[in-house]
Amino acid sequence: MSKHHAHAKWQGNLPEGKGEYLLKTSGLKGKLSFSSRFEDNKEASSPEELIAAAHASCFSMALSHGLSQEGFEPDKIETDAEVTLVKAGDSFEISEITLKTTGKVPGVKAEKFQEIANDAKENCPVSKALKAVKIKLEAKLL
């Protein structure tokens, strides 16, 4: 079992306050703000962007592993994750996540790549943790 830690701090009310996060292992720090979360202001990050980073990373690792397990050694896997935050009644919710991945994998056919990518989408630990959210996949073999 492994455990991973992050710290977040918020000061002030939601619309005018400010925050920051710290990833404890790497020391990576970032800022958080209302406008970066709800108004697409690019001055800081958001919890949804951190979820996107986690999901893209986890999926890429799972896809690489799945390909290797099937006898295909990937040269490169790249994944973008888009997390959509929408207003739902009086609150907000993550309505969907779209994973867009490309892979350079010698010897694998497009159909097999798609099959392994779909399995990675369903079974990477972050996807499993986010089962309440619709997860879409666009996978392309280079």
Side-chain angles (χ1 to χ4, degrees):
M1 172 175 59
S2 63
K3 295 184 180 185
H4 308 271
H5 305 275
H7 175 78
K9 176 173 63 173
W10 187 264
Q11 296 174 289
N13 64 32
L14 182 59
E16 298 164 358
K18 61 183 177 179
E20 58 187 29
Y21 64 86
L22 168 66
L23 306 182
K24 291 197 174 182
T25 302
S26 67
L28 181 67
K29 297 178 183 181
K31 295 180 181 181
L32 302 165
S33 73
F34 177 89
S35 62
S36 66
R37 187 172 193 193
F38 298 106
E39 299 170 354
D40 287 330
N41 184 330
K42 306 301 182 214
E43 70 186 25
S45 191
S46 68
E48 291 73 26
E49 188 173 41
L50 295 170
I51 289 170
H55 204 177
S57 300
C58 183
F59 170 82
S60 293
M61 294 170 78
L63 178 53
S64 177
H65 179 68
L67 288 161
S68 295
Q69 292 293 97
E70 293 285 333
F72 306 105
E73 291 304 315
D75 289 341
K76 178 173 64 172
I77 303 293
E78 291 189 35
T79 305
D80 290 316
E82 179 181 82
V83 175
T84 302
L85 181 68
V86 298
K87 185 139 175 66
D90 292 337
S91 64
F92 288 84
E93 68 182 36
I94 295 172
S95 63
E96 74 179 31
I97 298 170
T98 301
L99 299 171
K100 295 179 182 179
T101 193
T102 58
K104 184 176 180 187
V105 187
V108 72
K109 302 259 189 242
E111 299 81 24
K112 187 66 171 176
F113 179 76
Q114 187 69 49
E115 174 189 320
I116 297 168
N118 283 327
D119 184 69
K121 177 191 77 123
E122 294 299 320
N123 293 301
C124 84
V126 173
S127 287
K128 287 181 176 182
L130 298 171
K131 285 286 186 192
V133 178
K134 179 180 179 180
I135 301 171
K136 298 186 333 187
L137 174 64
E138 296 174 21
K140 182 180 176 184
L141 184 61
L142 300 175

